[in-house]
């Protein structure tokens, strides 16, 4: 039986500081640990081919390379990240407030990407980089006389790289 697992552990924290009644600072963070452990079944060309291929006809070359089970290869990859978010909240009036937030984080490669590391060469040399996400967010909130309007425009930048060989 092939073994495949992904284990993830995270610790979160956050706090806010009221600098003045109108101005608040916020910070938060997350430490994350992701562990992949995958058995990959390999397939190799039959070392004892049947004369004439599967159909017994030597003129049909396409069926001469029958694949059989090869060795099971183990792929293990570990990722540890610290992500953070910082914000400034400002109350312009009791009815209108705003905030600006910056977030910087990393995300482990998905399970399928790690599962694709399935040859001896790739297992020895390929270590995918995390996806890096940075986001700026502006929050606008208005709440007065039964009218509540909120807007949260943001800009996200995603940085990914190809599979890295080390």
């Amino acid at each position: 039986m092939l073994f495949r697992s992904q284990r993830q552990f995270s610790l979160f924290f956050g706090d806010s500081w009221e600098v003045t009644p109108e101005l608040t600072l916020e910070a938060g963070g997350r430490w994350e640990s992701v562990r992949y452990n995958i058995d990959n079944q390999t397939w190799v060309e039959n070392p004892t081919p049947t004369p004439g291929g599967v159909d017994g006809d030597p003129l049909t070359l396409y069926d001469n390379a029958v694949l059989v089970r090869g060795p099971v290869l183990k792929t293990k990859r570990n990722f540890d990240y610290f992500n953070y978010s910082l914000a400034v909240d400002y109350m312009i009036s009791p009815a209108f407030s705003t905030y600006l937030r910056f977030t910087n984080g990393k995300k482990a490669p998905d399970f399928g990407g790690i599962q694709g590391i399935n040859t001896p060469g790739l297992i020895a040399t390929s270590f995918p980089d995390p996806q890096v996400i940075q986001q700026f967010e502006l929050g606008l909130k208005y709440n007065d006389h039964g009218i509540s309007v909120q807007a949260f425009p943001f800009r996200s930048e995603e940085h990914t790289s190809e599979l890295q060989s080390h």
Side-chain angles (χ1 to χ4, degrees):
M1 173 181 256
L2 297 178
F3 181 76
R4 294 186 170 113
S5 74
Q6 174 183 338
R7 294 189 178 143
Q8 186 168 345
F9 181 75
S10 298
L11 292 173
F12 299 86
F13 73 89
D15 203 356
S16 62
W17 301 273
E18 188 176 293
V19 179
T20 69
E22 295 83 20
L23 180 66
T24 304
L25 302 177
E26 296 180 2
R30 179 181 76 218
W31 173 77
E32 184 171 43
S33 178
V34 181
R35 305 283 184 254
Y36 296 104
N37 186 1
I38 302 170
D39 289 349
N40 284 313
Q41 177 66 61
T42 61
W43 297 90
V44 296
E45 202 171 302
N46 188 350
T48 56
T50 306
V54 174
D55 63 1
D57 184 351
L59 300 177
T60 55
L61 297 177
Y62 67 89
D63 66 352
N64 287 334
V66 176
L67 297 179
V68 297
R69 288 180 191 262
V72 172
L73 301 177
K74 295 192 176 300
T75 304
K76 291 184 179 184
R77 294 294 183 266
N78 301 326
F79 300 90
D80 294 297
Y81 306 121
F82 179 72
N83 305 305
Y84 65 90
S85 182
L86 305 169
V88 176
D89 304 322
Y90 190 74
M91 183 170 49
I92 297 169
S93 72
F96 184 64
S97 63
T98 185
Y99 71 85
L100 180 63
R101 179 181 322 277
F102 172 73
T103 301
N104 187 50
K106 294 180 181 177
K107 182 180 174 198
D110 69 337
F111 190 86
I114 302 300
Q115 190 174 1
I117 302 172
N118 60 5
T119 66
L122 287 176
I123 290 170
T125 62
S126 297
F127 298 86
D129 285 337
Q131 177 183 33
V132 178
I133 301 168
Q134 293 180 331
Q135 181 170 311
F136 292 93
E137 180 180 350
L138 173 66
L140 305 168
K141 301 176 186 178
Y142 177 81
N143 190 3
D144 195 25
H145 296 93
I147 297 173
S148 178
V149 179
Q150 299 179 14
F152 307 103
F154 63 90
R155 175 184 167 90
S156 289
E157 293 182 5
E158 192 174 311
H159 306 280
T160 57
S161 61
E162 298 299 319
L163 197 62
Q164 298 296 313
S165 295
H166 298 281

